[in-house]
Amino acid sequence: MKFIILAAVFAVAAANSYKAAEYAPKYEAPKYEEVTYAPQPYSFGYDVQDKESYTDFDHSEKADGKVTSGSYRVALPDGRTQIVSYKADENGYTADVKFEGEAQYPEYKETGYKAAAYPAPAYKAPAYPAPAYKAPAYPKY
């Protein structure tokens, strides 16, 4: 017990004599320069046609640094083709949307499929007796 008290007194004395560093390290915030690049002209295009998945679309675009223009074409599920031609410049985004073909909505036909008729289960449902509650018997005082 005396050892614990002695250790506590020593810890308090050591804590009072501790001195924090008198200097603090100074770090300067990193300096970042905003790098701006001149607009680069580009041009690209791609076309996808997959008969198995009925995927059919293409996209092409070109830019000269100030004006970006392009178009894309998508085969819609209703049989039409949507063609979008667009132009983006300092005045904003302008799109021209066109549709080719006539929308086809096939008439709904009910299938001849009938749900399978399953037989009644071969097992009997368990029979549980009705719960019987006895009235509590309280002693008389």
Side-chain angles (χ1 to χ4, degrees):
M1 183 69 173
K2 292 180 184 178
F3 177 74
I4 295 174
I5 295 172
L6 183 62
V9 169
F10 179 71
V12 170
N16 287 339
S17 67
Y18 176 75
K19 218 172 158 187
E22 294 180 8
Y23 65 92
K26 294 183 182 178
Y27 299 104
E28 292 183 24
K31 294 184 171 113
Y32 297 105
E33 292 182 25
E34 184 69 31
V35 180
T36 57
Y37 297 101
Q40 300 291 316
Y42 67 89
S43 177
F44 74 86
Y46 60 86
D47 187 12
V48 176
Q49 291 182 344
D50 183 18
K51 300 291 182 196
E52 291 178 12
S53 66
Y54 301 104
T55 303
D56 184 12
F57 59 90
D58 70 12
H59 183 195
S60 61
E61 183 174 290
K62 65 180 179 177
D64 63 1
K66 294 189 183 254
V67 178
T68 302
S69 60
S71 67
Y72 59 89
R73 178 184 54 82
V74 179
L76 299 174
D78 62 5
R80 299 178 297 165
T81 301
Q82 178 183 13
I83 302 169
V84 178
S85 301
Y86 59 88
K87 181 175 126 180
D89 57 11
E90 67 273 355
N91 297 323
Y93 181 85
T94 307
D96 179 32
V97 181
K98 295 179 185 173
F99 294 95
E100 287 183 351
E102 187 73 27
Q104 309 263 331
Y105 301 107
E107 195 170 317
Y108 176 73
K109 295 179 186 174
E110 206 169 311
T111 62
Y113 174 77
K114 302 236 190 251
Y118 294 104
Y123 59 88
K124 292 182 180 180
Y128 296 107
Y133 299 106
K134 295 180 182 177
Y138 298 109
K140 294 185 178 183
Y141 296 106

